[in-house]
Amino acid sequence: MDDSRQQPPVEQFYDAADQRLTIWRFITEIPGYPQLAWRNRGLIRNFFIRDLQGRFRGSMLGTLWVLIHPLFLFLTYYLVFGIMFGQRGKESQGSMWYSIYLFSGILAWSAFTDTTIRATGVVVGNGNLIKKVAFPAQILPLHLGVVNLLVYGVGLLVLAVVMIVTSMSGSYLGDFPGFRLLFLPVALFNLFLFSIGLGLLLSAIQVFARDTAQIFPIIANLWFFASPVFWYKEMFDRVQEDGSITNTMAPFAIFFYWNPLTPILELNREVLGIVTRGDQLRTWQELVMLSLRGLVPSALFFVVGYCIFRSLQNRFADEV
């Protein structure tokens, strides 16, 4: 048997002339994606360390900025929204409620946008590796997602400390999350999966349309205002003369409901006991449904992003 004619593993190389490229083939590769990442964990770890250190290289405090940034971010929001515009918060939740609500949304949103925006140029920026036949380019965005999950986790720790301290002082009357903390891994996984899926899609498009890196941040800014980062549903309620309540954003309700980030952001708040629906936290059954509402679009985006990335991968070396 001539070993020279054997094909390398499919996750590392394919020959467009010898193999039939179908969507189904790429979909069947997805279950092996975690195994591919594990086999290349050393490479991903090196990318992770390089990216994390590169963000703070030359600074006196180094990686301590990962802790300092969210702390000062919260203090800024508390100064502006908790003191200057404290009336926007819910009175039943205390004067600091809106600052905490906004801070929690910004943390999750920042993890999402930083991953996707950086992922947009990850293929073009690693052209020397892309031209190596055996390099699995589809793992390139993973380290970005892991770095931002780490930064997000540090932010959540800061948020948790703030919530505990302000609850003891009586300025924040939130609920203890209790069993909801069990859904934290699900919330993080949904956020990670959605970010990586969209990152794969954007990185593949950027190879052929270099304006993608300029266009997506604009889209992300619009997406920000369409997502429940700074607003909550009750903000748009207006009491009519007859006592009925009308939602001024009702014409856009469908768009907000189908926003794939809405259930992801809501779940990330619920696991911390931050109210997102009236003054009542969701039950266990409702949290399961909310988790599924976030998982379905996250999985769909990942499948689409992965399949498009793999279908174009054989042309990357010629373009970068």
Side-chain angles (χ1 to χ4, degrees), residues 40-297:
N40 293 275
R41 60 188 180 278
L43 183 62
I44 296 174
R45 181 173 60 250
N46 291 335
F47 276 122
F48 170 84
I49 295 174
R50 186 184 68 176
D51 186 84
L52 186 62
Q53 293 179 343
R55 298 188 184 197
F56 311 105
R57 182 177 292 114
S59 62
M60 294 180 59
L61 298 180
T63 54
L64 282 177
W65 284 111
V66 175
L67 178 62
I68 296 173
H69 276 159
L71 180 60
F72 275 88
L73 186 63
F74 171 77
L75 292 176
T76 302
Y77 290 145
Y78 175 64
L79 175 64
V80 176
F81 297 103
I83 297 179
M84 296 177 62
F85 302 101
Q87 70 275 11
R88 294 186 65 181
K90 298 182 181 181
E91 295 180 359
S92 61
Q93 294 296 322
S95 60
M96 191 173 286
W97 178 85
Y98 188 71
S99 301
I100 291 177
Y101 179 87
L102 177 60
F103 183 49
S104 63
I106 289 292
L107 287 176
W109 175 262
S110 298
F112 161 70
T113 53
D114 194 77
T115 299
T116 50
I117 290 176
R118 288 176 179 267
T120 302
V122 75
V123 173
V124 176
N126 290 278
N128 58 324
L129 294 176
I130 298 299
K131 294 178 181 180
K132 296 182 182 298
V133 175
F135 180 74
Q138 58 268 43
I139 68 170
L140 279 174
L142 287 179
H143 72 280
L144 297 172
V146 177
V147 168
N148 284 295
L149 277 187
L150 173 63
V151 175
Y152 180 44
V154 173
L156 289 182
L157 290 177
V158 173
L159 178 60
V161 171
V162 170
M163 292 171 63
I164 293 173
V165 172
T166 53
S167 295
M168 294 175 62
S169 66
S171 57
Y172 173 71
L173 305 177
D175 295 297
F176 181 73
F179 74 90
R180 294 173 184 83
L181 284 175
L182 297 175
F183 287 84
L184 181 58
V186 179
L188 296 179
F189 177 76
N190 286 353
L191 180 63
F192 178 81
L193 189 65
F194 185 79
S195 301
I196 296 301
L198 185 56
L200 284 169
L201 175 63
L202 292 171
S203 63
I205 297 176
Q206 171 70 5
V207 174
F208 305 96
R210 300 300 172 93
D211 290 336
T212 305
Q214 309 302 324
I215 295 174
F216 178 70
I218 298 176
I219 296 175
N221 285 333
L222 297 175
W223 202 344
F224 172 84
F225 291 103
S227 303
V229 177
F230 70 95
W231 56 262
Y232 51 94
K233 296 175 183 178
E234 291 80 10
M235 285 180 64
F236 307 112
D237 290 343
R238 296 291 184 271
V239 180
Q240 306 300 315
E241 294 182 358
D242 59 359
S244 62
I245 297 178
T246 301
N247 191 299
T248 58
M249 298 299 291
F252 306 97
I254 295 179
F255 177 76
F256 291 147
Y257 180 82
W258 288 105
N259 181 349
L261 280 174
T262 296
I264 295 176
L265 293 174
E266 288 185 353
L267 183 61
N268 275 270
R269 285 189 172 113
E270 288 273 347
V271 297
L272 296 175
I274 301 174
V275 174
T276 60
R277 187 188 57 172
D279 292 322
Q280 181 180 3
L281 288 167
R282 287 176 168 84
T283 63
W284 184 88
Q285 294 84 352
E286 290 174 327
L287 280 177
V288 172
M289 294 303 300
L290 183 62
S291 300
L292 292 176
R293 279 184 55 202
L295 178 61
V296 170

